[in-house]
Amino acid sequence: MTDQDASTELARLRGTIDNIDAALVHLLAERFKCTQQVGELKARSSLPPADKAREERQITRLRSLATDAGLDPVFAEKFLNFIIAEVIHHHERIAEGK
Ligand SMILES: C=C(O[C@@H]1C=C(C(=O)O)C=C[C@H]1O)C(=O)O
């Protein structure tokens, strides 16, 4: 592969990465819009911000999806836990009326 070929291929691959990153941002934005509504509903109904049983079901499901897709399930679990922790933080703030 010539230097020119390599830089053309690198630019092509990075274009794909940029598209995927954009899709991830849009997907996360939609998820947070939805969890915002869940947080408001929970606050109105005096439900707790976190639901550990639901989280366990989600993690089991995501780990299985990740394995089937060829993604490291440990990474998938960490990623989901990171997002859920942020959501719970938002729900706590909503419940406090902030
Ligand atoms: C969104 C919810 O609130 C919390 C956040 C979750 C999530 O981000 O998926 C899952 C469970 C809850 O701890 C919910 O109860 O469904």
Side-chain angles (χ1 to χ4, degrees):
M1 194 180 249
T2 65
D3 286 354
Q4 180 61 54
D5 289 344
S7 64
T8 301
E9 180 67 350
L10 184 57
R12 187 187 70 75
L13 291 167
R14 285 179 173 171
T16 300
I17 290 167
D18 288 347
N19 287 344
I20 293 167
D21 288 348
L24 285 173
V25 165
H26 285 105
L27 288 170
L28 281 172
E30 289 307 306
R31 192 184 199 281
F32 275 98
K33 282 181 205 166
C34 192
T35 56
Q36 172 76 18
Q37 292 178 57
V38 171
E40 288 162 7
L41 188 152
K42 284 180 171 179
R44 280 197 308 275
S45 313
S46 302
L47 290 166
D51 182 339
K52 291 290 158 201
R54 160 80 174 149
E55 291 171 30
E56 277 169 29
R57 290 194 301 276
Q58 287 168 281
I59 286 163
T60 301
R61 177 169 171 268
L62 255 284
R63 285 185 61 102
S64 168
L65 286 171
T67 301
D68 289 350
L71 180 70
D72 180 358
V74 175
F75 169 76
E77 180 171 348
K78 273 194 233 164
F79 182 64
L80 185 64
N81 278 331
F82 179 70
I83 293 168
I84 290 175
E86 183 68 17
V87 170
I88 291 169
H89 182 62
H90 291 183
H91 287 185
E92 287 166 348
R93 289 183 62 89
I94 295 167
E96 288 161 8
K98 289 179 191 162

